[in-house]
Amino acid sequence: METKGFEHHDHHHCIATSLRTVEEACKAQGLQFTPVRRRVLEILLDEHRAMGAYDVLDVLRKEGLGSQPPVAYRALDFLVANGFAHRIERLNAFVACTAPGERHAPCFLICRACSAVAETPGRRASDALRSAAGELGFKVERVAIEAEGLCPACVEAGA
Amino acid sequence: METKGFEHHDHHHCIATSLRTVEEACKAQGLQFTPVRRRVLEILLDEHRAMGAYDVLDVLRKEGLGSQPPVAYRALDFLVANGFAHRIERLNAFVACTAPGERHAPCFLICRACSAVAETPGRRASDALRSAAGELGFKVERVAIEAEGLCPACVEAGA
DNA sequence: GGATCGCATGTTATGATATAACGTTCGCGG
DNA sequence: CCGCGAACGTTATATCATAACATGCGATCC
Protein backbone atom coordinates (compact mmCIF):
# COMPACT_ATOMS: atom_id res chain seq x y z
CA MET A 1 0.00 0.00 0.00
CA GLU A 2 1.17 3.47 -0.79
CA THR A 3 -0.11 6.88 0.14
CA LYS A 4 -2.76 8.31 -2.13
CA GLY A 5 -4.55 11.55 -2.17
CA PHE A 6 -2.21 14.40 -2.84
CA GLU A 7 -0.65 13.35 -6.12
CA HIS A 8 -2.18 12.98 -9.57
CA HIS A 9 -2.91 9.54 -10.84
CA ASP A 10 -4.88 7.69 -13.46
CA HIS A 11 -8.23 8.16 -11.87
CA HIS A 12 -10.33 6.25 -14.35
CA HIS A 13 -8.05 3.31 -13.98
CA CYS A 14 -8.01 3.41 -10.18
CA ILE A 15 -11.81 3.45 -10.04
CA ALA A 16 -12.12 0.45 -12.33
CA THR A 17 -9.50 -1.48 -10.40
CA SER A 18 -11.08 -0.77 -7.03
CA LEU A 19 -14.52 -1.73 -8.23
CA ARG A 20 -13.27 -4.98 -9.66
CA THR A 21 -11.38 -5.80 -6.47
CA VAL A 22 -14.40 -5.13 -4.30
CA GLU A 23 -16.64 -7.13 -6.60
CA GLU A 24 -14.37 -10.13 -6.29
CA ALA A 25 -14.01 -9.73 -2.55
CA CYS A 26 -17.79 -9.72 -2.17
CA LYS A 27 -18.17 -12.80 -4.32
CA ALA A 28 -15.47 -14.58 -2.34
CA GLN A 29 -17.05 -13.71 1.01
CA GLY A 30 -20.65 -14.21 0.00
CA LEU A 31 -21.51 -10.53 0.41
CA GLN A 32 -24.17 -8.87 -1.69
CA PHE A 33 -22.70 -6.08 -3.77
CA THR A 34 -26.09 -4.60 -4.60
CA PRO A 35 -26.76 -1.71 -7.00
CA VAL A 36 -27.05 0.87 -4.24
CA ARG A 37 -23.90 -0.31 -2.50
CA ARG A 38 -22.01 -0.41 -5.77
CA ARG A 39 -23.20 3.04 -6.77
CA VAL A 40 -22.26 4.52 -3.38
CA LEU A 41 -18.77 3.12 -3.72
CA GLU A 42 -18.56 4.57 -7.25
CA ILE A 43 -19.64 7.95 -5.94
CA LEU A 44 -16.94 7.91 -3.29
CA LEU A 45 -14.35 6.77 -5.82
CA ASP A 46 -15.40 9.45 -8.33
CA GLU A 47 -15.07 12.26 -5.88
CA HIS A 48 -11.95 10.92 -4.30
CA ARG A 49 -12.50 13.06 -1.25
CA ALA A 50 -14.33 12.79 2.04
CA MET A 51 -18.07 13.06 1.52
CA GLY A 52 -20.81 13.40 4.08
CA ALA A 53 -23.61 10.86 4.04
CA TYR A 54 -25.98 13.57 2.84
CA ASP A 55 -23.66 14.46 -0.05
CA VAL A 56 -23.83 10.87 -1.16
CA LEU A 57 -27.57 10.85 -0.63
CA ASP A 58 -27.98 13.91 -2.89
CA VAL A 59 -26.41 11.99 -5.74
CA LEU A 60 -28.53 8.92 -5.10
CA ARG A 61 -31.63 11.08 -5.09
CA LYS A 62 -30.90 12.57 -8.48
CA GLU A 63 -30.52 9.08 -9.85
CA GLY A 64 -33.64 7.70 -8.23
CA LEU A 65 -31.69 5.17 -6.20
CA GLY A 66 -32.94 6.27 -2.83
CA SER A 67 -34.08 9.40 -1.16
CA GLN A 68 -33.97 8.90 2.59
CA PRO A 69 -30.97 9.03 4.91
CA PRO A 70 -31.06 5.38 5.97
CA VAL A 71 -30.47 4.32 2.37
CA ALA A 72 -27.15 6.16 2.26
CA TYR A 73 -26.15 5.23 5.80
CA ARG A 74 -26.84 1.55 5.24
CA ALA A 75 -24.77 1.39 2.10
CA LEU A 76 -21.95 3.33 3.77
CA ASP A 77 -22.09 1.11 6.84
CA PHE A 78 -21.77 -1.93 4.61
CA LEU A 79 -18.74 -0.50 2.82
CA VAL A 80 -17.05 0.55 6.06
CA ALA A 81 -17.80 -2.71 7.86
CA ASN A 82 -16.15 -4.65 5.07
CA GLY A 83 -13.17 -2.39 4.62
CA PHE A 84 -14.19 -0.99 1.24
CA ALA A 85 -14.51 2.52 2.60
CA HIS A 86 -13.44 4.38 5.72
CA ARG A 87 -15.14 6.78 8.03
CA ILE A 88 -13.26 9.97 8.89
CA GLU A 89 -14.30 10.70 12.45
CA ARG A 90 -12.97 14.22 12.43
CA LEU A 91 -15.22 15.14 9.52
CA ASN A 92 -18.17 12.83 10.05
CA ALA A 93 -17.52 11.81 6.47
CA PHE A 94 -16.56 8.87 4.32
CA VAL A 95 -13.90 8.04 1.72
CA ALA A 96 -13.40 5.05 -0.53
CA CYS A 97 -10.57 2.85 0.61
CA THR A 98 -7.53 3.18 -1.60
CA ALA A 99 -6.42 -0.37 -0.96
CA PRO A 100 -9.52 -2.51 -0.57
CA GLY A 101 -8.77 -6.05 0.30
CA GLU A 102 -5.37 -5.38 1.79
CA ARG A 103 -5.16 -5.69 5.52
CA HIS A 104 -4.17 -2.28 6.68
CA ALA A 105 -4.41 0.23 9.47
CA PRO A 106 -4.94 3.46 7.61
CA CYS A 107 -4.03 6.92 8.83
CA PHE A 108 -5.70 9.95 7.36
CA LEU A 109 -4.12 13.29 6.64
CA ILE A 110 -6.80 15.92 6.43
CA CYS A 111 -6.08 19.32 4.91
CA ARG A 112 -7.98 22.00 6.82
CA ALA A 113 -7.63 24.44 3.91
CA CYS A 114 -8.76 22.42 0.89
CA SER A 115 -10.37 19.42 2.63
CA ALA A 116 -8.32 16.91 0.67
CA VAL A 117 -7.88 13.64 2.50
CA ALA A 118 -4.95 11.30 1.97
CA GLU A 119 -4.81 7.77 3.21
CA THR A 120 -1.39 6.65 4.29
CA PRO A 121 -0.10 3.47 5.91
CA GLY A 122 -0.46 3.63 9.66
CA ARG A 123 1.32 0.48 10.52
CA ARG A 124 3.89 1.99 12.87
CA ALA A 125 1.47 4.32 14.62
CA SER A 126 -1.08 1.55 14.92
CA ASP A 127 1.45 -0.90 16.31
CA ALA A 128 2.61 1.65 18.85
CA LEU A 129 -0.96 2.19 19.97
CA ARG A 130 -1.75 -1.50 20.16
CA SER A 131 1.30 -2.25 22.22
CA ALA A 132 0.55 0.58 24.66
CA ALA A 133 -3.03 -0.66 24.98
CA GLY A 134 -1.96 -4.26 25.39
CA GLU A 135 0.17 -3.37 28.40
CA LEU A 136 -2.93 -2.01 30.08
CA GLY A 137 -5.03 -5.05 29.30
CA PHE A 138 -7.15 -3.13 26.82
CA LYS A 139 -8.31 -5.20 23.87
CA VAL A 140 -8.16 -3.05 20.74
CA GLU A 141 -10.74 -3.77 18.05
CA ARG A 142 -10.63 -0.70 15.87
CA VAL A 143 -8.23 2.18 15.55
CA ALA A 144 -8.74 5.65 14.17
CA ILE A 145 -5.67 7.74 13.48
CA GLU A 146 -6.23 11.13 11.93
CA ALA A 147 -4.03 14.16 11.47
CA GLU A 148 -5.32 17.60 10.61
CA GLY A 149 -3.07 20.18 9.01
CA LEU A 150 -2.01 21.51 5.64
CA CYS A 151 -1.41 19.43 2.54
CA PRO A 152 1.70 20.13 0.45
CA ALA A 153 -0.20 22.27 -2.05
CA CYS A 154 -1.79 24.42 0.65
CA VAL A 155 1.48 24.76 2.56
CA GLU A 156 2.97 26.18 -0.61
CA ALA A 157 0.01 28.40 -1.42
CA GLY A 158 -0.52 29.64 2.10
CA ALA A 159 3.13 30.35 2.86
CA MET B 1 2.28 11.46 32.24
CA GLU B 2 0.72 8.14 33.01
CA THR B 3 -2.35 6.38 31.83
CA LYS B 4 -5.53 7.16 33.69
CA GLY B 5 -9.00 5.94 33.39
CA PHE B 6 -9.22 2.28 34.25
CA GLU B 7 -7.79 2.23 37.75
CA HIS B 8 -9.08 3.68 40.99
CA HIS B 9 -7.50 6.79 42.31
CA ASP B 10 -8.05 9.61 44.76
CA HIS B 11 -10.66 11.40 42.76
CA HIS B 12 -11.23 14.33 45.05
CA HIS B 13 -7.54 15.00 45.08
CA CYS B 14 -7.13 14.70 41.33
CA ILE B 15 -9.95 17.18 40.71
CA ALA B 16 -8.47 19.74 43.04
CA THR B 17 -5.02 19.35 41.56
CA SER B 18 -6.24 19.69 37.98
CA LEU B 19 -8.29 22.76 38.79
CA ARG B 20 -5.38 24.43 40.48
CA THR B 21 -3.06 23.62 37.60
CA VAL B 22 -5.48 25.03 35.04
CA GLU B 23 -6.07 28.10 37.15
CA GLU B 24 -2.38 28.81 37.25
CA ALA B 25 -1.92 28.10 33.57
CA CYS B 26 -4.65 30.59 32.74
CA LYS B 27 -3.16 33.24 34.94
CA ALA B 28 0.25 32.67 33.39
CA GLN B 29 -1.06 32.90 29.86
CA GLY B 30 -3.52 35.72 30.42
CA LEU B 31 -6.55 33.50 29.76
CA GLN B 32 -9.86 34.15 31.43
CA PHE B 33 -10.90 31.21 33.57
CA THR B 34 -14.47 32.40 33.93
CA PRO B 35 -17.17 30.81 36.10
CA VAL B 36 -18.77 28.95 33.20
CA ARG B 37 -15.45 27.65 31.93
CA ARG B 38 -14.42 26.62 35.37
CA ARG B 39 -17.70 24.91 36.09
CA VAL B 40 -17.59 23.01 32.78
CA LEU B 41 -14.13 21.75 33.59
CA GLU B 42 -15.33 20.72 37.05
CA ILE B 43 -18.23 18.85 35.50
CA LEU B 44 -15.89 16.96 33.19
CA LEU B 45 -13.53 16.22 36.07
CA ASP B 46 -16.37 15.04 38.32
CA GLU B 47 -17.72 12.61 35.81
CA HIS B 48 -14.33 11.44 34.69
CA ARG B 49 -15.79 10.07 31.49
CA ALA B 50 -16.58 11.32 28.02
CA MET B 51 -19.59 13.64 28.07
CA GLY B 52 -21.53 15.07 25.19
CA ALA B 53 -21.92 18.82 24.98
CA TYR B 54 -25.59 18.44 25.78
CA ASP B 55 -24.85 16.38 28.88
CA VAL B 56 -22.71 19.23 30.13
CA LEU B 57 -25.39 21.69 29.13
CA ASP B 58 -27.98 19.82 31.19
CA VAL B 59 -25.89 20.33 34.29
CA LEU B 60 -25.33 24.00 33.52
CA ARG B 61 -29.07 24.45 33.04
CA LYS B 62 -29.89 23.03 36.42
CA GLU B 63 -27.47 25.45 37.97
CA GLY B 64 -28.66 28.46 36.03
CA LEU B 65 -25.29 28.93 34.40
CA GLY B 66 -26.57 28.81 30.86
CA SER B 67 -29.28 27.13 28.92
CA GLN B 68 -28.42 27.26 25.24
CA PRO B 69 -26.01 25.03 23.30
CA PRO B 70 -23.54 27.78 22.42
CA VAL B 71 -22.80 28.34 26.09
CA ALA B 72 -21.61 24.77 26.52
CA TYR B 73 -19.83 24.63 23.17
CA ARG B 74 -17.96 27.85 23.79
CA ALA B 75 -16.69 26.73 27.15
CA LEU B 76 -15.72 23.34 25.78
CA ASP B 77 -13.96 24.94 22.81
CA PHE B 78 -11.98 27.09 25.18
CA LEU B 79 -10.91 24.10 27.26
CA VAL B 80 -9.98 22.04 24.21
CA ALA B 81 -8.15 24.87 22.48
CA ASN B 82 -5.97 25.37 25.52
CA GLY B 83 -5.33 21.72 26.22
CA PHE B 84 -7.41 21.53 29.40
CA ALA B 85 -9.82 19.05 27.86
CA HIS B 86 -9.89 16.82 24.81
CA ARG B 87 -12.49 16.05 22.22
CA ILE B 88 -13.12 12.39 21.47
CA GLU B 89 -13.96 12.36 17.79
CA ARG B 90 -15.32 8.87 17.82
CA LEU B 91 -17.92 9.80 20.40
CA ASN B 92 -18.51 13.46 19.64
CA ALA B 93 -17.76 13.96 23.28
CA PHE B 94 -15.36 15.61 25.66
CA VAL B 95 -13.15 14.60 28.57
CA ALA B 96 -11.06 16.60 31.00
CA CYS B 97 -7.37 16.31 30.30
CA THR B 98 -5.60 14.14 32.83
CA ALA B 99 -2.36 16.03 32.51
CA PRO B 100 -3.19 19.66 31.83
CA GLY B 101 -0.18 21.76 31.22
CA GLU B 102 2.07 18.95 30.11
CA ARG B 103 2.85 18.89 26.41
CA HIS B 104 1.45 15.64 25.24
CA ALA B 105 -0.08 13.79 22.34
CA PRO B 106 -2.82 11.81 23.99
CA CYS B 107 -4.30 8.56 22.74
CA PHE B 108 -7.71 7.45 23.88
CA LEU B 109 -8.81 3.95 24.65
CA ILE B 110 -12.58 3.76 24.44
CA CYS B 111 -14.45 0.80 25.87
CA ARG B 112 -17.41 -0.05 23.67
CA ALA B 113 -19.07 -1.98 26.50
CA CYS B 114 -18.92 0.42 29.44
CA SER B 115 -17.97 3.65 27.64
CA ALA B 116 -15.00 4.25 29.91
CA VAL B 117 -12.31 6.35 28.28
CA ALA B 118 -8.67 6.20 29.26
CA GLU B 119 -6.09 8.70 28.19
CA THR B 120 -2.68 7.23 27.57
CA PRO B 121 0.55 8.70 26.24
CA GLY B 122 0.63 8.62 22.46
CA ARG B 123 4.13 9.80 21.94
CA ARG B 124 5.30 6.87 19.81
CA ALA B 125 2.16 6.63 17.72
CA SER B 126 2.11 10.36 17.26
CA ASP B 127 5.78 10.48 16.26
CA ALA B 128 5.23 7.69 13.75
CA LEU B 129 2.35 9.60 12.23
CA ARG B 130 4.22 12.87 12.11
CA SER B 131 7.21 11.37 10.43
CA ALA B 132 5.07 9.62 7.80
CA ALA B 133 3.26 12.89 7.15
CA GLY B 134 6.46 14.86 7.01
CA GLU B 135 7.81 12.69 4.23
CA LEU B 136 4.80 13.65 2.15
CA GLY B 137 5.15 17.35 2.81
CA PHE B 138 2.03 17.40 4.97
CA LYS B 139 2.19 19.83 7.87
CA VAL B 140 0.53 18.26 10.90
CA GLU B 141 -1.22 20.61 13.30
CA ARG B 142 -3.41 18.31 15.33
CA VAL B 143 -3.54 14.59 15.81
CA ALA B 144 -6.37 12.36 16.96
CA ILE B 145 -5.52 8.81 17.90
CA GLU B 146 -8.36 6.72 19.22
CA ALA B 147 -8.77 3.00 19.82
CA GLU B 148 -12.10 1.31 20.38
CA GLY B 149 -12.33 -2.03 22.11
CA LEU B 150 -12.79 -3.56 25.53
CA CYS B 151 -11.31 -2.26 28.75
CA PRO B 152 -9.71 -4.75 31.16
CA ALA B 153 -12.82 -4.98 33.34
CA CYS B 154 -15.11 -5.68 30.40
CA VAL B 155 -12.71 -8.20 28.87
CA GLU B 156 -12.89 -10.09 32.15
CA ALA B 157 -16.65 -9.75 32.52
CA GLY B 158 -17.46 -10.54 28.93
CA ALA B 159 -15.10 -13.49 28.56
C1' DG C 1 -46.23 -24.97 -5.24
C1' DG C 2 -46.55 -22.53 -1.30
C1' DA C 3 -44.90 -21.51 3.41
C1' DT C 4 -41.31 -19.43 5.61
C1' DC C 5 -37.16 -17.01 6.43
C1' DG C 6 -33.35 -13.82 5.87
C1' DC C 7 -31.72 -9.84 3.99
C1' DA C 8 -31.89 -5.65 1.52
C1' DT C 9 -34.54 -1.75 0.76
C1' DG C 10 -38.36 1.98 1.27
C1' DT C 11 -40.44 5.37 4.36
C1' DT C 12 -41.80 8.10 8.33
C1' DA C 13 -40.50 10.28 12.12
C1' DT C 14 -37.43 11.84 15.37
C1' DG C 15 -33.17 12.27 17.92
C1' DA C 16 -28.47 14.11 18.55
C1' DT C 17 -24.83 17.20 17.50
C1' DA C 18 -23.27 21.82 16.12
C1' DT C 19 -23.02 26.64 14.62
C1' DA C 20 -24.46 31.20 12.39
C1' DA C 21 -25.83 35.55 13.61
C1' DC C 22 -26.83 39.18 16.40
C1' DG C 23 -27.60 41.57 20.75
C1' DT C 24 -25.94 42.56 25.61
C1' DT C 25 -22.73 43.05 29.38
C1' DC C 26 -18.65 44.33 31.47
C1' DG C 27 -13.88 45.40 32.47
C1' DC C 28 -10.01 47.96 30.87
C1' DG C 29 -7.11 51.36 28.76
C1' DG C 30 -7.16 55.76 26.36
C1' DC D 1 -16.44 59.08 29.81
C1' DC D 2 -15.84 56.51 25.68
C1' DG D 3 -14.44 52.91 22.70
C1' DC D 4 -12.90 48.39 22.36
C1' DG D 5 -12.55 43.56 22.88
C1' DA D 6 -13.86 39.34 25.05
C1' DA D 7 -17.32 36.66 27.08
C1' DC D 8 -21.99 35.58 27.43
C1' DG D 9 -27.23 35.34 26.23
C1' DT D 10 -30.65 34.08 22.81
C1' DT D 11 -32.94 32.77 18.59
C1' DA D 12 -32.97 30.15 14.88
C1' DT D 13 -31.35 26.75 11.96
C1' DA D 14 -28.02 23.56 9.92
C1' DT D 15 -26.03 19.09 9.95
C1' DC D 16 -25.48 14.28 11.13
C1' DA D 17 -27.68 9.84 12.50
C1' DT D 18 -30.94 6.17 13.73
C1' DA D 19 -35.30 3.89 15.62
C1' DA D 20 -39.12 1.58 14.00
C1' DC D 21 -41.95 -0.48 10.90
C1' DA D 22 -43.49 -1.77 6.03
C1' DT D 23 -42.31 -3.93 1.54
C1' DG D 24 -40.03 -6.79 -1.91
C1' DC D 25 -37.59 -10.76 -3.31
C1' DG D 26 -34.79 -14.76 -3.74
C1' DA D 27 -33.42 -19.22 -1.30
C1' DT D 28 -34.82 -23.24 1.06
C1' DC D 29 -37.63 -26.77 2.83
C1' DC D 30 -41.40 -29.76 2.85
Side-chain angles (χ1 to χ4, degrees):
Chain A
M1 176 183 171
E2 57 179 319
T3 303
K4 285 190 188 160
F6 296 146
E7 79 293 357
H8 292 290
H9 60 277
D10 182 341
H11 200 52
H12 181 76
H13 174 75
C14 92
I15 292 177
T17 303
S18 289
L19 274 176
R20 199 156 5 90
T21 305
V22 171
E23 214 158 64
E24 281 161 18
C26 285
K27 193 173 264 179
Q29 299 173 246
L31 301 170
Q32 298 186 45
F33 197 39
T34 64
V36 179
R37 290 170 178 179
R38 181 192 183 90
R39 187 66 192 117
V40 169
L41 179 58
E42 284 174 2
I43 291 164
L44 292 179
L45 285 165
D46 278 346
E47 295 285 337
H48 210 298
R49 63 183 177 87
M51 297 181 75
Y54 281 72
D55 296 333
V56 172
L57 183 56
D58 283 344
V59 179
L60 293 179
R61 271 200 185 114
K62 280 174 196 149
E63 300 175 353
L65 271 172
S67 63
Q68 300 304 321
V71 173
Y73 279 102
R74 285 196 285 235
L76 290 165
D77 286 349
F78 168 85
L79 295 173
V80 170
N82 294 287
F84 307 140
H86 301 293
R87 179 182 168 84
I88 312 292
E89 303 293 347
R90 181 84 185 95
L91 304 175
N92 294 329
F94 302 83
V95 283
C97 179
T98 56
E102 289 180 45
R103 279 181 62 83
H104 62 303
C107 289
F108 297 99
L109 306 178
I110 304 162
C111 180
R112 69 165 160 77
C114 71
S115 295
V117 173
E119 179 177 347
T120 194
R123 200 59 203 307
R124 294 209 332 270
S126 160
D127 286 350
L129 176 52
R130 280 168 192 277
S131 94
E135 285 166 23
L136 298 169
F138 186 93
K139 182 154 171 278
V140 174
E141 294 171 344
R142 306 180 28 179
V143 170
I145 302 178
E146 303 176 3
E148 188 177 49
L150 290 175
C151 75
C154 290
V155 167
E156 198 137 329
Chain B
M1 176 184 172
E2 58 179 318
T3 302
K4 285 191 191 161
F6 297 145
E7 79 293 358
H8 291 290
H9 59 277
D10 182 341
H11 199 53
H12 181 77
H13 175 75
C14 94
I15 292 178
T17 303
S18 289
L19 273 176
R20 200 157 4 90
T21 305
V22 170
E23 214 158 63
E24 280 160 18
C26 285
K27 192 172 263 180
Q29 299 172 246
L31 300 170
Q32 297 187 47
F33 198 40
T34 64
V36 178
R37 290 170 178 178
R38 182 192 184 91
R39 187 65 193 117
V40 169
L41 179 58
E42 284 174 2
I43 291 165
L44 293 178
L45 285 165
D46 278 346
E47 295 285 336
H48 211 295
R49 63 181 176 89
M51 298 181 75
Y54 282 73
D55 296 333
V56 172
L57 183 56
D58 283 345
V59 180
L60 293 180
R61 272 201 184 111
K62 281 173 196 148
E63 300 175 355
L65 270 172
S67 61
Q68 300 304 321
V71 173
Y73 279 103
R74 285 195 287 236
L76 289 165
D77 286 349
F78 168 86
L79 296 173
V80 170
N82 294 288
F84 306 141
H86 301 292
R87 178 184 169 85
I88 312 290
E89 302 293 347
R90 179 87 185 94
L91 303 175
N92 293 329
F94 303 82
V95 282
C97 179
T98 56
E102 288 181 44
R103 279 183 61 84
H104 61 304
C107 288
F108 296 99
L109 306 178
I110 305 162
C111 180
R112 69 167 160 78
C114 71
S115 296
V117 173
E119 178 177 348
T120 195
R123 203 52 208 310
R124 296 214 327 274
S126 160
D127 286 349
L129 176 53
R130 281 167 190 277
S131 93
E135 285 165 22
L136 298 169
F138 186 94
K139 182 155 170 279
V140 174
E141 292 170 346
R142 305 181 30 180
V143 171
I145 301 178
E146 302 176 4
E148 189 177 48
L150 290 176
C151 75
C154 290
V155 166
E156 199 135 331

